[in-house]
Amino acid sequence: MDITVNYERRGSGSPLVLLHGIGHRWQAWLPVLDRLAERHQVFAVDLPGFGRSPRLPEGTAHDLSGSVGVLRGIFQTLGVENPHVAGNSLGGLLAIEAAAQGLVASATALSPAGFWNRRDRARAFAALRWMRRGARAPQTATRIVLRSDALRNGSLRMLYAHPERIDLKTALGDMGALRGAASFEPTLAAGEDFAWNGPSPAVPLTVAWGAGDRLLPPRQAFRATRLLPSARHVLLPDCGHVPMSDAPGLVADTILHTCATAERPLTVR
């Protein structure tokens, strides 16, 4: 599948592909990008229909199976084979599925989607739709809210443990990305009845959950532990649903540890 995507590339070394959450953009990874690029050639991608990437070709499914086919196409576009991958939320779910299908060398999933029960899924989808409606409000009203530190922090608290670290320029850019996300509704619709129940990957996998995640509460990490027994499971203290800006060093180290585990030579005894 020929997939055109917008992306940022930095660094050198073995490839590492970064996948954002629903409605977000590659810039979500900026707090950790340079640290990761010290050891890897990093590709931070705008998923199709998000950020500045065009929407998927007509008739392409937005469910998990279709999305993995899209991910294969993205890897081809980037010119990478068997890369490391790290993802947040929707991107975390894609990272896990890519690992389960043997498409990647390692995977790190930050608060991945799909490990909810029906109640938590309905709550998360309601919150996402509320955020989408807010992003699609008149832009004058949006700017008024985001220019107030108190109002901006309040509107971002669902996603971040430290919303005060998100500056006005970033908040405006993120809001614009959410407002223009052509794949938002079809992706959400495809997940209405979804819950993860796939095989546990054979490659190194880390599942890391923000201890202060309000969108996908960390109790969902217990279900991930049961369903992915071979994975390394980590709780990220003082972090929300999008932890990259809450604890850049910790998040970068978590991803690098997973990559290094995959690249460590086997010891023969």
Side-chain angles (χ1 to χ4, degrees):
M1 184 184 298
D2 186 20
I3 300 293
T4 300
V5 288
N6 178 59
Y7 62 91
E8 175 77 1
R9 179 174 59 191
R10 296 188 188 179
S12 60
S14 54
L16 167 61
V17 179
L18 305 178
L19 308 172
H20 59 73
I22 187 170
H24 221 154
R25 55 186 183 142
W26 74 260
Q27 286 88 344
W29 297 99
L30 272 172
V32 300
L33 202 53
D34 286 339
R35 175 72 179 275
L36 298 175
E38 291 174 2
R39 299 192 186 179
H40 296 277
Q41 184 178 31
V42 182
F43 300 84
V45 174
D46 280 340
L47 291 169
F50 297 105
R52 293 187 176 181
S53 288
R55 67 178 67 202
L56 290 169
E58 192 69 30
T60 305
H62 286 75
D63 60 7
L64 186 58
S65 177
S67 295
V68 171
V70 169
L71 200 55
R72 289 177 187 268
I74 290 174
F75 292 165
Q76 291 175 3
T77 296
L78 300 178
V80 300
E81 186 176 352
N82 199 42
H84 302 287
V85 65
N88 174 223
S89 195
L90 169 65
L93 171 60
L94 295 178
I96 292 171
E97 180 65 14
Q101 295 199 23
L103 303 181
V104 297
S106 75
T108 305
L110 308 173
S111 290
F115 294 89
W116 42 46
N117 57 28
R118 290 183 180 181
R119 183 176 180 180
D120 280 346
R121 181 177 59 208
R123 177 181 174 275
F125 280 30
L128 288 167
R129 289 188 173 105
W130 176 82
M131 287 187 278
R132 171 77 158 172
R133 285 195 295 270
R136 302 183 84 175
Q139 293 188 40
T140 301
T142 300
R143 286 192 172 92
I144 290 173
V145 170
L146 294 181
R147 281 175 179 158
S148 163
D149 290 345
L151 293 176
R152 182 170 72 249
N153 292 348
S155 67
L156 297 177
R157 197 163 295 280
M158 180 63 72
L159 299 178
Y160 303 97
H162 293 282
E164 72 278 1
R165 297 178 185 172
I166 307 300
D167 60 33
L168 175 59
K169 181 180 179 181
T170 299
L172 286 170
D174 289 347
M175 195 67 72
L178 179 55
R179 181 173 58 250
S183 291
F184 184 91
E185 276 81 12
T187 300
L188 213 58
E192 287 284 1
D193 297 316
F194 175 80
W196 170 264
N197 195 25
S200 190
V203 301
L205 166 65
T206 297
V207 180
W209 227 283
D213 192 332
R214 297 186 178 196
L215 185 65
L216 300 180
R219 60 178 173 266
Q220 296 179 28
F222 292 106
R223 187 164 191 263
T225 301
R226 292 196 306 271
L227 292 174
L228 298 167
S230 64
R232 171 178 174 248
H233 294 271
V234 177
L235 194 64
L236 303 174
D238 201 27
C239 286
H241 182 64
V242 184
M244 293 82 84
S245 65
D246 289 327
L250 177 59
V251 170
D253 286 346
T254 300
I255 296 170
L256 291 172
H257 179 278
T258 313
C259 297
T261 299
E263 296 182 351
R264 189 177 299 135
L266 294 175
T267 300
V268 179
R269 294 183 179 180

